[in-house]
Amino acid sequence: MRGNELLDKMELIDSVYVEAADAMPKRRRAAWLRWCAAAACLSLLAIAGIELPRKDDSVRVSIGGIPREYKNMDITAGESAMEWPWEYKTVSEQYTTLAMDGEEFLSRGPVAASRVGDALGRYDVGGYDAYTGQEHHMTVEVHRVIGISEDKIVAAELDEGYYVFGHGGYAPPADLGQMLDDYSLERTLPLEHFTEYDGYEEKGHFRLKDDAYVWEVLNACRSAEFIKDDGWTENGRSLSFTATSDALGVYKGVFRVTEDGYIWTNVFDYAYLFRIGREAAERIFSYAAENGIEAEPEPYTSSLAGTLAEITDRYILVDDTILCSDEKEGMRFKIYLDDVRISRHIEFEGIAVGDVVVVGFTGGIDAEGGNVVEGACSLARGYLSEEGVSVPE
């Protein structure tokens, strides 16, 4: 697989992990960690980032907004399903279930304190250490998430922070209006970045400055009934909005509008489908066409690779010289170790200076601050060969 073929594969990544989500088991439980790891590994294929005009036998790419000129080599990755020892997990990986008033809620991720409302009481959260077979429990303060029904989503106070827990049962809304109200979607789920599809073929990536009109159309379709149809498949054109919300505990899910009048989303662990009709869909399509600004794609995670050049108590440095067409153009990138998702790889897997590594990240790169990688969330040992860098299973 060479330069253009690699990038063709990269373009499919976004839709691959999204479509795969529909085939996931309906209850995530602790399996969410393995799913996130698999999605991240798929995204490692996108190490070359965004292709820029090519020169000779090299590929010009953008890594977190920084242009780089790399050798035309393959990047491959295997699926990782690491089950971390208890002490190497984040607190939300440790405590995955919340028992409240006879109902079970499942961990979704951190939420900003500004979204946390009134206290609901103290309840038990639990987790399981697969290495020792030991169950862990503690009692924590549980709060409402502002604007969201407490029988759907709550926030638990863990380790001096707040974490979203979502109801684990299958309880689809009667109609679109109920879903909008239960989760205050207009206030909790921005619909800004979207990809236009014709069938499964991407036609472009765009961003809306204002999604108010989209919500106006959706609110006018509140009576659209929930459709239980596990065999439904979309046809024709669609707009696939990136669905990210800390209040809902969702990261880059999908909120899709189809040209033939359907809304499909996997934001709530289950595939929810509603029919809003062609006329309403056409209004959203027209607004998106008139107001959408061309934008760069948003992969699940971005990646960079290189040699681990330095390890300190606070950060590591990754040097990408081995990938550069001209070794004199090599750069060093700084990744802080204050996130256990990075530091645990160094400690538990024994990754050392001189190893080839691949870093997954969700933010950008702060060039003025010393090429600091923002939102680093994964680290893996890579292997360099004539064919490129690989991350085996």
Side-chain angles (χ1 to χ4, degrees), residues 90-107:
T90 66
V91 67
S92 62
E93 291 171 355
Q94 290 175 335
Y95 294 97
T96 57
T97 61
L98 164 69
M100 191 174 81
D101 299 334
E103 300 291 335
E104 185 179 66
F105 291 73
L106 307 178
S107 175

Side-chain angles (χ1 to χ4, degrees), residues 346-388:
I346 301 292
E347 298 172 15
F348 186 69
E349 298 184 74
I351 294 177
V353 170
D355 288 345
V356 176
V357 295
V358 180
V359 180
F361 61 101
T362 59
I365 294 178
D366 180 4
E368 294 183 358
N371 295 335
V372 174
V373 178
E374 300 171 332
C377 57
S378 67
L379 178 70
R381 182 183 281 109
Y383 295 89
L384 182 67
S385 67
E386 292 182 0
E387 287 73 33

Side-chain angles (χ1 to χ4, degrees), residues 29-265:
R29 292 187 177 273
W32 77 269
L33 176 58
R34 291 188 290 274
W35 164 243
C36 288
C41 283
L42 285 174
S43 72
L44 292 178
L45 291 167
I47 188 172
I50 301 161
E51 185 180 35
L52 301 174
R54 292 185 58 183
K55 176 182 177 182
D56 302 326
D57 194 29
S58 63
V59 178
R60 295 189 63 204
V61 300
S62 174
I63 301 294
I66 297 179
R68 311 295 294 129
E69 188 164 303
Y70 286 162
K71 300 170 186 176
N72 191 3
M73 56 171 53
D74 294 348
I75 311 297
T76 59
E79 178 178 333
S80 173
M82 173 70 74
E83 175 67 29
W84 293 100
W86 184 262
E87 61 272 23
Y88 286 96
K89 290 183 177 182
T90 66
V91 67
S92 62
E93 291 171 355
Q94 290 175 335
Y95 294 97
T96 57
T97 61
L98 164 69
M100 191 174 81
D101 299 334
E103 300 291 335
E104 185 179 66
F105 291 73
L106 307 178
S107 175
R108 284 173 168 262
V111 61
S114 61
R115 293 195 180 270
V116 176
D118 298 336
L120 296 169
R122 294 182 64 81
Y123 296 92
D124 179 80
V125 291
Y128 179 73
D129 184 349
Y131 281 71
T132 65
Q134 181 181 357
E135 290 189 359
H136 295 260
H137 292 270
M138 65 178 177
T139 302
V140 300
E141 195 78 40
V142 176
H143 298 254
R144 288 185 174 89
V145 177
I146 296 173
I148 300 179
S149 174
E150 61 266 28
D151 63 348
K152 301 297 182 183
I153 285 178
V154 295
E157 192 170 353
L158 303 173
D159 196 23
E160 300 182 354
Y162 295 98
Y163 293 83
V164 167
F165 283 74
H167 191 275
Y170 178 63
D175 53 32
L176 180 60
Q178 182 184 342
M179 185 177 75
L180 298 181
D181 292 342
D182 283 347
Y183 299 96
S184 294
L185 287 190
E186 188 171 354
R187 298 195 299 272
T188 60
L189 185 65
L191 298 179
E192 297 170 348
H193 187 279
F194 67 93
T195 301
E196 182 178 349
Y197 285 89
D198 188 351
Y200 290 99
E201 183 181 356
E202 291 182 3
K203 291 298 184 179
H205 305 276
F206 305 90
R207 180 175 292 278
L208 295 174
K209 289 185 177 179
D210 188 346
D211 64 356
Y213 182 77
V214 176
W215 289 112
E216 179 183 324
V217 174
L218 294 174
N219 272 298
C221 302
R222 297 175 62 85
S223 61
E225 293 185 3
F226 170 79
I227 300 173
K228 184 176 182 180
D229 185 357
D230 294 336
W232 178 85
T233 57
E234 66 181 85
N235 296 301
R237 296 169 61 222
S238 65
L239 304 179
S240 182
F241 289 89
T242 301
T244 294
S245 167
D246 68 335
L248 302 175
V250 60
Y251 174 72
K252 292 190 177 176
V254 175
F255 193 96
R256 182 167 295 169
V257 183
T258 70
E259 188 178 35
D260 57 352
Y262 289 89
I263 296 291
W264 182 96
T265 183

Side-chain angles (χ1 to χ4, degrees), residues 14-34:
D14 220 20
S15 59
V16 166
Y17 78 75
V18 164
E19 301 302 334
D22 190 27
M24 288 170 59
K26 288 192 172 181
R27 305 194 67 186
R28 297 191 304 179
R29 292 187 177 273
W32 77 269
L33 176 58
R34 291 188 290 274

